[in-house]
Every structure is written in structure tokens, then in C-alpha cells.
Amino acid sequence: CEVRESKSSTTNKLVRKSFTKQRNPPKQTPNVAVRKMVSSLKCSCPLLERGCEWLGTLKDLETHLDTCDYVGDKCKLGCGVVLQRNELKVHEEEKCSQHIVKCEHCSKEFIFGVLTVHTEKCPKMQVSCELKCGKIVCREDMPQHLKQDCGLVEERCGLGCGRKLARGGRKIHVTDI
């Protein structure tokens, strides 16, 4: 818009006033009646195709979406997975690689993904004797079992013959001599 010089100062003022109105249009006031009418329109959840059967008004839609089970949320345990809220609880409690589980042998808590590594070394886990004597002992008790109890540990004859014998066969050997 161009302001022209005019001989009449009144004309000049009118042109300037018109120019100012064009640059600063009057503030619009919201039409309350139209807003109420629009907010009371019926609608369904935008996640209907995912299975949400919610029906309500536009004004209640935002509140519904805050609690809708079909909205996607990120796993709170940090694995990065995004699932529908109705699937997230099971994921976080049972399937997430970051969920906390207790070792069934020692009762210590671990991140699920680490439990397998722990189980391979858990001192309270029951394991078969390393020498396959048939006994099952706690992993932490294995050295003691091998030192004192296992009948398959080889020992030298204490009577001077120097033969290596299984601990269980030593008694027979001693009686044979």
C-alpha cells in the first residue's frame, strides 16, 4: 500500500489511517457459541483402526487420549520399544530385555538380559560334579566336594606303592595289600 502526498492534510490523515488499519487488523474475539457447538460434536477415537471403540465429544477427546490403551508409548525401562499402552505392561514386566528378575538360585536381582550370564556363574546354582561322580552340589561348594567328598578324585596310595587311585577305590586297595 502506498501513501501519496496530498495537498489536503485531511486527505493525508485519512490515507494514513486507512494504511494503519490494513497493517493492524482489529483483534478477533472468539465466538463462544460456535466453539461450544464444535466441541460438542460426536467423534470416535482416532485410533479406531487399532481397536479403540471409544465414542464421545470433541471436548472429551484430549482427556480420552491421555488414557487410551491404543496410544503408543515408549517402554519406561529404556529398551527403546514403542508399543500400545495395552501391550506395554506385559512387555515391561515379562518381555523387555531390561526388566528386573530374581535369580532362582541366589535371589539376587538382575536385568533380564544379564541373568543368563549370571546363571552360568551363580555360586548357588546346583551343578553336577565336575568328575561325574553323580553328586549334585552348589557351584560354590564344588572345591570342597572335590577336596573331601568326591570318590573319583585320584590320590596316591599312602602305603608306599605309589599307585594313583580314585579316592573311593583306595579302601579296597589298602585291604588288598
Side-chain angles (χ1 to χ4, degrees), residues 61-73:
L61 180 59
E62 188 174 340
T63 303
H64 164 71
L65 290 174
D66 288 340
T67 60
C68 179
D69 282 342
Y70 296 89
V71 170
D73 272 344

Side-chain angles (χ1 to χ4, degrees), residues 2-176:
E2 185 180 314
V3 178
R4 294 183 196 175
E5 288 293 323
S6 172
K7 292 182 183 173
S8 163
S9 65
T10 310
T11 310
N12 237 354
K13 286 180 186 175
L14 286 173
V15 169
R16 282 197 181 109
K17 193 173 183 180
S18 171
F19 177 72
T20 304
K21 279 186 179 178
Q22 288 175 355
R23 282 193 338 194
N24 300 322
K27 293 187 179 180
Q28 296 180 358
T29 56
N31 188 328
V32 177
V34 171
R35 192 172 285 183
K36 279 185 178 179
M37 194 169 73
V38 170
S39 68
S40 66
L41 289 173
K42 298 287 181 197
C43 67
S44 60
C45 179
L47 302 172
L48 179 67
E49 72 279 359
R50 289 188 186 172
C52 183
E53 297 177 358
W54 179 86
L55 296 171
T57 61
L58 276 175
K59 77 174 181 193
D60 296 329
L61 180 59
E62 188 174 340
T63 303
H64 164 71
L65 290 174
D66 288 340
T67 60
C68 179
D69 282 342
Y70 296 89
V71 170
D73 272 344
K74 209 174 200 181
C75 173
K76 293 175 190 83
L77 301 178
C79 72
V81 169
V82 176
L83 293 170
Q84 293 177 182
R85 286 183 187 142
N86 60 352
E87 298 170 339
L88 208 51
K89 185 178 179 185
V90 171
H91 167 78
E92 290 173 348
E93 291 176 359
E94 299 173 16
K95 297 179 180 181
C96 180
S97 63
Q98 302 298 307
H99 81 278
I100 303 298
V101 290
K102 272 188 178 182
C103 172
E104 63 182 279
H105 309 290
C106 68
S107 299
K108 289 184 180 178
E109 292 186 340
F110 294 92
I111 293 173
F112 179 73
V114 177
L115 182 64
T116 307
V117 174
H118 165 75
T119 303
E120 292 172 5
K121 297 177 182 178
C122 178
K124 300 291 184 187
M125 184 172 174
Q126 299 285 311
V127 293
S128 298
C129 171
E130 294 172 3
L131 298 178
K132 302 193 184 347
C133 75
K135 296 250 180 165
I136 296 177
V137 295
C138 280
R139 184 175 278 125
E140 68 184 355
D141 296 335
M142 186 62 69
Q144 181 70 24
H145 168 71
L146 294 174
K147 186 176 181 181
Q148 292 180 352
D149 303 326
C150 182
L152 296 181
V153 171
E154 287 189 345
E155 296 177 331
R156 292 208 180 268
C157 172
L159 299 175
C161 77
R163 246 175 108 186
K164 277 189 171 182
L165 304 161
R167 186 180 287 146
R170 191 171 145 207
K171 290 179 186 173
I172 299 169
H173 173 68
V174 170
T175 58
D176 286 348

